[in-house]
């Protein structure tokens, strides 16, 4: 019997879950950003401006959903140490479209003008940010409790190392690719960081995002849109169906390749994908597996035999240009 890891039914919707508009330091207005992404086949965009959460439901239509979110940053001290200061950046996306109350808010960080744009709980004390795991974990806990999907962003740009990121608890997902930082030259394809967290027992998903600011030439190589995305499989294109799929992990991350199907038949994992140069199955043990096409043809359907003592497994599809698509990790005690 087939057990589908990506749901058999529903439709894939292309999403960018991390973006910046003129509400913070981006170049495009939320409406311009929506028009741009919609024109390139995207159906979902989370506007995650720095420190400031403003819903853009007016931009949602029958073919496009704007998710409400923001990016919360913890830094070690930008001044005078910008080039060396470590950072932890988290995106927080509201699961409920009615939820417009920004968690972890601090009144003193904003001008009156900006504060007027934000809804926050007047009865709560200011959240004071400090760059340490306790404070960051408290922010994650509060955000999850208040109904947000929390993602861990661009560890390489942030200069975070194993000893920092393995202390964070409760994040829903991490950026396996952050395109803005990737095109700047950072090694922001984070398969290794993802395995560090998984091998530590953290049950966490992987997303691809642009983190676009759109400051550069749209025709140039440094344009930071359309390089990494998340394909969300949902029953329909509406806010709650999309966020339900996020919470369940019904998605994969990509820089280009597509994953059409992912299922188990007993202990055999099947992957159907766009033409691939190589398909890899990573497990927690020293037992990684790779598959290639036969007779020079690309691979489009491969299988991997799993073992019950593989704690988790995940699949990476690599195309002829070296671009990756990554599934979430699945834990054998849940799916085998
Ligand atoms: Zn960002």
């Amino acid at each position: 019997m087939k057990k589908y890891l990506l749901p058999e039914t529903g439709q894939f919707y292309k999403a960018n879950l991390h973006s910046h508009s003129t509400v913070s330091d981006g170049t495009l207005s939320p409406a311009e950003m929506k028009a741009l992404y919609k024109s390139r086949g995207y159906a979902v965009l989370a506007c995650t401006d720095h420190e400031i959460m403003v819903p853009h439901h007016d931009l949602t239509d029958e073919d496009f959903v704007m998710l409400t979110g923001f990016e919360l940053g913890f830094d070690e001290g930008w001044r005078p140490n910008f080039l060396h200061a470590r950072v932890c950046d988290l995106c927080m996306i509201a699961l409920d479209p009615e939820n417009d109350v920004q968690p972890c808010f601090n009144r003193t960080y904003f001008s009156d003008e900006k504060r007027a744009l934000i809804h926050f709980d007047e009865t709560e004390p200011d959240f004071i940010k400090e760059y340490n795991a306790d404070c960051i974990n408290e922010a994650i806990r509060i955000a999850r409790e208040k109904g947000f999907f929390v993602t861990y962003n661009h560890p390489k740009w942030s200069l975070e190392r194993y000893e920092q990121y393995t202390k964070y608890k409760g994040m829903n997902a991490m950026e396996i690719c952050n395109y803005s930082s990737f095109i700047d030259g950072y090694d922001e394809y984070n398969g290794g960081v993802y395995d560090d967290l998984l091998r530590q027992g953290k049950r966490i998903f992987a997303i691809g995002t642009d983190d676009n600011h759109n400051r550069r030439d749209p025709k140039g190589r440094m344009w930071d849109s359309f390089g990494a995305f998340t394909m969300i499989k949902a029953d329909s294109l509406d806010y709650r169906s999309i966020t339900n799929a996020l919470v369940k992990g019904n998605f994969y991350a990509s820089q280009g390749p597509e994953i059409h199907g992912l299922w188990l038949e007993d202990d055999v994992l099947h992957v159907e994908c766009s033409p691939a140069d190589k398909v890899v199955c990573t497990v927690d043990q020293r037992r990684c597996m790779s598959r290639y096409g036969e007779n020079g043809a690309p691979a489009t359907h491969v299988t991997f035999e799993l073992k019950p003592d593989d704690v988790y497994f995940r699949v990476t599809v690599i195309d002829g240009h070296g671009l990756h698509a990554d599934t979430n990790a699945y834990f054998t005690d849940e799916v085998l």
Side-chain angles (χ1 to χ4, degrees):
M1 207 178 83
K2 287 184 178 178
K3 180 181 173 70
Y4 286 90
L5 301 176
L6 283 168
E8 182 186 14
T9 57
Q11 200 180 320
F12 278 113
Y13 298 104
K14 192 171 188 177
N16 177 17
L17 299 174
H18 183 174
S19 71
H20 297 278
S21 75
T22 46
V23 173
S24 63
D25 60 350
T27 308
L28 304 176
S29 69
E32 289 168 328
M33 210 156 60
K34 174 209 167 173
L36 181 71
Y37 275 84
K38 195 172 172 179
S39 75
R40 292 287 296 258
Y42 284 71
V44 179
L45 180 64
C47 205
T48 53
D49 278 298
H50 295 284
E51 310 296 325
I52 180 166
M53 187 174 99
V54 182
H56 300 291
H57 298 310
D58 53 317
L59 298 176
T60 289
D61 61 36
E62 59 181 16
D63 305 314
F64 202 88
V65 171
M66 288 290 281
L67 299 176
T68 304
F70 70 109
E71 185 172 24
L72 186 68
F74 297 78
D75 68 77
E76 243 184 335
W78 287 127
R79 294 193 187 84
N81 197 28
F82 175 78
L83 293 178
H84 297 276
R86 287 168 301 183
V87 182
C88 175
D89 280 357
L90 306 169
C91 279
M92 301 181 167
I93 295 171
L95 298 175
D96 180 341
E98 309 299 322
N99 187 357
D100 64 353
V101 179
Q102 180 168 333
C104 308
F105 187 71
N106 188 316
R107 297 157 183 79
T108 65
Y109 294 161
F110 292 93
S111 62
D112 290 346
E113 188 193 337
K114 281 254 158 115
R115 203 165 49 230
L117 294 172
I118 302 169
H119 288 168
F120 59 94
D121 185 346
E122 303 272 359
T123 66
E124 296 231 335
D126 286 338
F127 186 86
I128 297 162
K129 295 193 295 181
E130 288 173 23
Y131 180 78
N132 63 60
D134 287 345
C135 186
I136 291 162
N137 286 336
E138 180 63 1
I140 296 167
R141 189 192 64 75
I142 292 170
R144 291 286 301 268
E145 192 180 282
K146 294 189 180 296
F148 285 78
F149 184 84
V150 180
T151 70
Y152 174 55
N153 302 343
H154 49 63
K156 302 292 170 50
W157 182 88
S158 297
L159 304 182
E160 290 207 294
R161 299 190 294 264
Y162 185 90
E163 53 269 36
Q164 278 92 39
Y165 57 69
T166 51
K167 289 199 183 93
Y168 303 150
K169 291 183 207 150
M171 301 164 299
N172 296 86
M174 66 160 284
E175 288 180 334
I176 198 159
C177 186
N178 175 293
Y179 187 57
S180 161
S181 156
F182 185 81
I183 55 167
D184 277 349
Y186 295 89
D187 180 19
E188 207 74 74
Y189 173 70
N190 290 308
V193 176
Y194 191 36
D195 286 314
D196 284 343
L197 297 176
L198 295 167
R199 287 180 177 137
Q200 207 202 12
K202 290 188 162 63
R203 304 207 174 200
I204 182 172
F205 300 138
I207 58 170
T209 74
D210 279 335
D211 191 7
N212 53 297
H213 294 72
N214 305 104
R215 296 186 185 119
R216 297 158 182 152
D217 175 8
K219 294 194 173 67
R221 291 291 295 273
M222 298 297 281
W223 180 246
D224 54 4
S225 278
F226 313 126
F229 52 91
T230 303
M231 293 298 280
I232 302 170
K233 197 156 193 192
D235 295 332
S236 57
L237 183 59
D238 59 84
Y239 198 108
R240 281 172 199 275
S241 298
I242 292 298
T243 57
N244 282 341
L246 286 178
V247 170
K248 288 183 187 155
N250 292 338
F251 56 84
Y252 66 89
S254 184
Q255 301 168 320
E258 292 174 3
I259 297 173
H260 302 138
L262 186 70
W263 69 90
L264 288 167
E265 270 181 288
D266 300 321
D267 55 359
V268 177
L269 175 64
H270 289 252
V271 185
E272 269 181 358
C273 57
S274 53
D277 182 48
K278 180 180 184 180
V279 184
V280 171
C281 181
T282 303
V283 299
D284 60 299
Q285 317 190 55
R286 185 175 294 105
R287 207 179 76 75
C288 285
M289 295 166 272
S290 57
R291 300 285 180 266
Y292 299 84
E294 286 173 16
N295 305 319
T300 54
H301 182 178
V302 301
T303 60
F304 300 99
E305 202 169 314
L306 300 170
K307 297 216 187 308
D309 66 344
D310 292 324
V311 174
Y312 72 83
F313 60 90
R314 64 184 190 88
V315 171
T316 305
V317 174
I318 306 165
D319 72 11
H321 300 287
L323 299 174
H324 293 61
D326 290 275
T327 71
N328 284 314
Y330 297 88
F331 283 76
T332 52
D333 64 357
E334 292 175 24
V335 298
L336 271 193

